[in-house]
Amino acid sequence: MAIIKIESLVFEYRKEDGAETVKAINNVSLDIEEGSFTAIIGRNGSGKSTLAKNINALLLPGSGAVYVDGFRTSDDSAVWEIRQRAGMVFQNPDNQLVSAIVEDDVAFGPENLGVAPVKIRERVEEALHSVDMYELRKKSPHMLSGGQKQRVAIAGVVAMRPKCIVFDEPTAMLDPRGREEVMGIMTRLHEEGITVILITHFMEETVRADRIIIMDAGQIVLDGPPAEIFRHSDQIRRLDLDVPLAVELADRLRKRGRAIPWDIIEDKEMVAYLCR
Ligand code: ADP
Ligand code: MG
């Protein structure tokens, strides 16, 4: 079943002067299956964040429609149903943390949803465990590393028990270690059944998804499983995007006449293949 359904979505921003508009999403149609892990990548300004905010009803379609678990985002009375089902994690963890203590921060979302206090406790503990931050629950967020802060922000979303989480460049401000921590948490949440939509500009992160969508100028230009997508590495480079190291290497070896299997897209697999 599709948890997210996007039909012919067009979204325009009005420029400062009010007269001109920028078409950020230009006729996008897209279904996202419940329980899937989708990566969305595209150069700066390609419309990724605008798409994400349309899924969360932070922005509403100019034309077309967006449905979250059957609720139409343009339906005023559905906003809370939608926000609860489709959580969002942003780039900067500092902008997402509001309390002086980690566990209070995680409680903020369910409190806003009107969850009963005893249930909140249970949800907060569960969410902190799911991002491995339970031990640090009494700490102040400003004492934490970037990766830890982002995991607290993720726990805040998890505590709302969403079916789907949209991560908009969640690792962009983190060091390599923090990035790895957050990627690990996303993989785990996906394994636990949450639908994960990861927006990123790190191509290496997309190979873990089961579907990659490449956007350019407000449109979808490639959409498919990773091994399929990286058959189009020349087109990807023309879009100003990198390809994963293993794909780059496979391409070069193919040019020299080695028949490298197309499903080798991760470093580890490539090393295993070359050393076999
Ligand atoms: P991405 O997340 O892929 O970098 P965005 O969705 O942020 O892309 O932006 C898509 C397009 O919309 C860009 O041309 C951008 O300049 C424009 N845009 C984004 N936000 C606004 C805004 N608040 N007002 C006007 N134009 C905007
Ligand atoms: Mg963006």
Side-chain angles (χ1 to χ4, degrees):
M1 198 203 103
I3 181 149
I4 309 290
K5 231 178 159 33
I6 300 177
E7 294 173 350
S8 308
L9 175 65
V10 175
F11 185 90
E12 293 179 325
Y13 291 101
R14 202 163 286 282
K15 280 195 179 162
E16 300 277 289
D17 59 29
E20 269 187 272
T21 57
V22 185
K23 198 173 271 184
I25 299 290
N26 187 4
N27 197 23
V28 165
S29 294
L30 174 66
D31 279 2
I32 301 224
E33 285 301 304
E34 184 154 15
S36 62
F37 184 167
T38 304
I40 301 180
I41 190 161
R43 66 179 129 197
N44 242 339
S46 57
K48 305 179 299 295
S49 293
T50 306
L51 186 70
K53 288 175 188 158
N54 270 278
I55 292 173
N56 195 249
L58 288 169
L59 295 174
L60 298 176
S63 70
V66 178
Y67 298 89
V68 176
D69 207 18
F71 292 94
R72 187 169 177 156
T73 59
S74 57
D75 176 357
D76 282 345
S77 62
V79 170
W80 282 105
E81 304 287 355
I82 289 164
R83 297 267 166 85
Q84 196 206 320
R85 283 170 172 77
M88 223 171 140
V89 174
F90 297 94
Q91 199 175 93
N92 189 344
D94 289 320
N95 295 344
Q96 301 171 79
L97 304 179
V98 290
S99 306
I101 299 172
V102 164
E103 62 181 1
D104 292 350
D105 219 286
V106 178
F108 190 74
E111 273 165 9
N112 273 339
L113 289 177
V115 175
V118 281
K119 296 269 182 207
I120 290 180
R121 227 193 144 65
E122 196 180 300
R123 284 194 187 200
V124 167
E125 290 191 3
E126 186 188 280
L128 284 167
H129 280 298
S130 76
V131 300
D132 285 338
M133 285 296 293
Y134 185 74
E135 304 301 319
L136 299 177
R137 65 192 181 281
K138 302 286 183 197
K139 290 263 186 272
S140 163
H142 78 259
M143 303 289 288
L144 305 176
S145 71
Q148 289 172 330
K149 282 185 201 170
Q150 193 61 301
R151 279 151 58 197
V152 173
I154 295 170
V157 174
V158 168
M160 293 168 78
R161 302 245 169 105
K163 289 189 172 181
C164 170
I165 304 181
V166 183
F167 296 86
D168 191 355
E169 304 207 19
T171 66
M173 304 189 71
L174 307 181
D175 59 16
R177 181 174 168 180
R179 252 159 52 201
E180 196 46 51
E181 287 170 13
V182 167
M183 284 306 297
I185 297 302
M186 271 187 283
T187 305
R188 185 193 295 179
L189 294 174
H190 169 238
E191 284 164 4
E192 286 170 2
I194 292 181
T195 308
V196 172
I197 301 175
L198 166 63
I199 293 170
T200 179
H201 64 250
F202 296 110
M203 193 58 93
E204 301 283 346
E205 293 180 354
T206 67
V207 300
R208 306 195 197 189
D210 38 52
R211 177 182 183 187
I212 299 178
I213 292 173
I214 300 187
M215 291 188 67
D216 194 52
Q219 294 185 313
I220 293 175
V221 290
L222 283 172
D223 179 358
E228 194 55 49
I229 291 292
F230 294 120
R231 284 173 174 254
H232 304 275
S233 49
D234 287 338
Q235 186 183 353
I236 294 171
R237 288 189 198 94
R238 282 198 298 277
L239 292 167
D240 269 348
L241 298 169
D242 293 326
V243 296
L245 190 61
V247 172
E248 181 76 43
L249 186 56
D251 281 353
R252 291 191 192 189
L253 289 169
R254 277 186 205 109
K255 283 198 182 105
R256 295 180 176 201
R258 294 266 310 251
I260 308 291
W262 287 97
D263 58 353
I264 295 187
I265 56 174
E266 287 194 70
D267 298 357
K268 263 186 287 179
E269 299 161 357
M270 181 57 108
V271 170
Y273 176 78
L274 292 175
C275 297
R276 82 197 186 287

